[in-house]
Amino acid sequence: MAVEFKHALRRLRGQIIGWAVGVALYSLVMAFFFPSIGQMENIDGYLSLFPKEMFAFFENLYAIGTPLGY
């Protein structure tokens, strides 16, 4: 059983490395992008352009500046 597992890992090593690199890069982009979300004074201008129905669809659109709402 262990031999089959090692063989599968060796055979799929390119996919494993590719997914790991992709997820790591995505995490870095999100980590660097998050501080700009916290600046709600810049986003208020954009939110004022949204229709009222958009605010009804999302519970609290202003919570996007918090880690929980992000």
Side-chain angles (χ1 to χ4, degrees):
M1 181 91 146
V3 174
E4 292 173 7
F5 184 69
K6 285 182 184 179
H7 174 69
L9 282 180
R10 267 190 238 117
R11 195 170 48 110
L12 299 173
R13 106 179 108 201
Q15 293 177 11
I16 294 170
I17 292 171
W19 273 97
V21 169
V23 169
L25 289 176
Y26 180 74
S27 300
L28 282 174
V29 167
M30 289 295 113
F32 287 120
F33 183 65
F34 182 74
S36 65
I37 293 294
Q39 300 171 354
M40 287 303 291
E41 60 273 358
N42 297 338
I43 297 176
D44 283 337
Y46 296 118
L47 292 179
S48 66
L49 299 174
F50 282 8
K52 290 182 174 68
E53 293 81 15
M54 183 70 78
F55 289 105
F57 183 70
F58 296 106
E59 286 182 27
N60 187 3
L61 203 53
Y62 289 101
I64 196 169
T66 65
L68 182 63
Y70 187 68

